Amino acid sequence: MYYSILRRSFGPLLLFAVSVAWLLLQFYPLLVTVTSPTAATTTTAATTTTAATTTPNSVAQISWKCTNDSEIRRKIESADNVIIVMPAKAAGTSFKTFATKCNNPKAKNLGFSSNIYDRKVMKEILTNSWDMPLIIPSHFWVPSQLSKLLRNASRKTLIIYSHRDESSRFKSATKHVLTSWCQGAPNLPIPEPRLKFFDKIDGNNCYLNENKFIDKVLKPRPWEMQMSTNALLTCQSYHSIEEYAPNMIFVDYKNATKIQNLLSEKYCPNMTSTFHDSTPKTIKLYITREEDGGNVLLSDWMDRKMPFIEWTLQINDKASCLVKTRQMEDALGSCEGGFLDAKSLPRK
């Protein structure tokens, strides 16, 4: 009888107590994590450690070494083929012209697209002719494609990277785009009709308002302007050099003539370099200043403003591992012959 009375009196209370205890057990870990500074620190530390372990840790490192004509000649002689890599405005057109003339006639049209990894039918290189192209120049736009080449190229393939400092490259690319638009070249579509885009066209002289130049050209960075050195030579690219140890040299683009002459010794002895400035000399581009309405040559405007353009317009936003690019540029600039060997050595 007493048991029945107790069950009726305390049964609901006992059920409530059991329910609360169950809920506390379920949510106790969460409460501890939120309220405990120690737990929060531990969680953060664990997250940081996990992130660190997923970052690639190279087993090798790049050793930059100046090299000379004799060593480059030896590398060319021992190579089965040569692939010349560059961003936009780093002697690419010159190298393509040279390769077209230097390669066997049956192979001259192979591999000369803007980017060899953009080709829809890559097997053309293997099936079009028994005579293979021995010199293949190609622009590269993104580091993932450069990484593919560095990973898959054989040890008997010599890779030559034609380098140009980004400030110099950007100025050249800007001039190239505006010159093409001034001429009405169809291969680089203009953002609006030519006669509307330019404030004035007087024969071979084209005038562009300073504000429109910034808003329609410098900010969007169309065509060759965005295909930059610092967006190509990224952490991924340097990691690929370290990990895959390609047979690779870097050369200043101004030494394109020297490289072409060395290549011709093996592949086309009767040919000379084709390196030249392809920008038409008759076209003059002027920027009309907002300050006073005066007209200045594009080249003068870019020379004056370039140090400010790079950080105000943040043109290196896609860059990474710039420290390695600058180390490479310092090393290349110190090389008397203008050639830099990229060696992958075990990390100590």
Side-chain angles (χ1 to χ4, degrees):
M1 181 177 66
Y2 293 108
Y3 174 74
S4 299
I5 294 171
L6 288 172
R7 185 176 62 178
R8 286 196 300 269
S9 301
F10 298 102
L13 183 60
L14 182 61
L15 180 61
F16 174 75
V18 170
S19 299
V20 170
W22 181 86
L23 287 172
L24 286 173
L25 288 172
Q26 294 298 313
F27 291 100
Y28 178 76
L30 178 61
L31 292 171
V32 171
T33 302
V34 172
T35 58
S36 169
T38 306
T41 305
T42 304
T43 303
T44 304
T47 303
T48 304
T49 303
T50 302
T53 56
T54 58
T55 303
N57 292 317
S58 178
V59 298
Q61 59 186 357
I62 303 174
S63 172
W64 303 108
K65 180 184 177 183
C66 292
T67 188
N68 53 36
D69 291 15
S70 298
E71 180 61 19
I72 298 299
R73 189 177 285 111
R74 186 195 66 78
K75 283 180 171 287
I76 292 172
E77 284 296 325
S78 62
D80 288 341
N81 53 60
V82 177
I83 298 179
I84 307 171
V85 175
M86 74 289 293
K89 309 310 296 177
T93 299
S94 172
F95 278 119
K96 289 182 180 184
T97 301
F98 171 79
T100 300
K101 294 180 178 179
C102 185
N103 275 319
N104 185 289
K106 291 183 180 180
K108 68 179 182 179
N109 293 322
L110 295 177
F112 304 130
S113 61
S114 291
N115 187 317
I116 56 176
Y117 280 105
D118 282 345
R119 294 182 67 87
K120 293 181 179 179
V121 186
M122 287 296 292
K123 70 177 184 181
E124 283 184 26
I125 294 180
L126 301 176
T127 62
N128 195 69
S129 172
W130 182 250
D131 298 304
M132 304 300 292
L134 300 177
I135 303 173
I136 301 179
S138 179
H139 286 105
F140 276 73
W141 313 138
V142 293
S144 60
Q145 293 175 339
L146 178 58
S147 182
K148 284 183 183 179
L149 174 64
L150 300 179
R151 181 172 61 247
N152 292 293
S154 76
R155 300 182 73 172
K156 298 289 284 183
T157 294
L158 174 62
I159 299 173
I160 299 175
Y161 184 94
S162 179
H163 179 72
R164 186 171 188 175
D165 166 75
E166 180 55 23
S167 298
S168 170
R169 192 211 67 81
F170 187 81
K171 287 191 285 186
S172 177
T174 303
K175 182 179 180 182
H176 171 76
V177 169
L178 280 181
T179 298
S180 298
W181 289 351
C182 181
Q183 290 178 301
N187 58 320
L188 292 184
I190 194 169
E192 56 190 54
R194 177 169 167 263
L195 294 177
K196 182 181 178 182
F197 180 77
F198 289 101
D199 295 338
K200 182 173 73 170
I201 299 177
D202 179 16
N204 290 328
N205 301 329
C206 288
Y207 298 78
L208 183 61
N209 175 273
E210 194 170 39
N211 272 332
K212 181 177 279 189
F213 174 51
I214 293 171
D215 293 336
K216 299 286 187 178
V217 182
L218 293 181
K219 283 184 178 179
R221 302 197 288 276
W223 307 106
E224 279 90 341
M225 292 174 66
Q226 65 179 302
M227 301 163 186
S228 72
T229 296
N230 295 336
L232 181 59
L233 291 179
T234 62
C235 291
Q236 181 180 8
S237 302
Y238 289 116
H239 182 74
S240 296
I241 297 174
E242 292 169 347
E243 292 298 294
Y244 309 132
N247 182 17
M248 187 176 188
I249 63 168
F250 282 67
V251 58
D252 189 301
Y253 84 103
K254 293 178 181 178
N255 282 325
T257 295
K258 187 183 289 189
I259 281 288
Q260 290 174 10
N261 288 336
L262 289 170
L263 289 169
S264 67
E265 291 179 10
K266 176 179 179 179
Y267 297 111
C268 45
N270 297 322
M271 228 191 105
T272 56
S273 169
T274 61
F275 181 54
H276 64 280
D277 184 357
S278 58
T279 305
K281 303 297 183 184
T282 56
I283 300 293
K284 288 192 176 181
L285 302 163
Y286 293 91
I287 302 299
T288 303
R289 291 168 45 184
E290 287 293 315
E291 180 183 12
D292 56 11
N295 297 310
V296 295
L297 285 168
L298 171 67
S299 56
D300 292 338
W301 194 97
M302 293 295 288
D303 286 343
R304 177 65 64 93
K305 310 283 187 178
M306 192 64 207
F308 299 88
I309 290 173
E310 293 186 71
W311 63 265
T312 56
L313 300 183
Q314 302 172 50
I315 65 173
N316 287 322
D317 266 5
K318 294 183 180 179
S320 62
C321 287
L322 269 174
V323 62
K324 293 191 176 183
T325 297
R326 287 167 180 166
Q327 287 171 348
M328 178 273 293
E329 288 175 337
D330 289 343
L332 183 59
S334 70
C335 295
E336 186 176 347
F339 304 134
L340 191 64
D341 202 348
K343 290 284 189 182
S344 176
L345 300 178
R347 189 178 294 276
K348 297 180 180 179

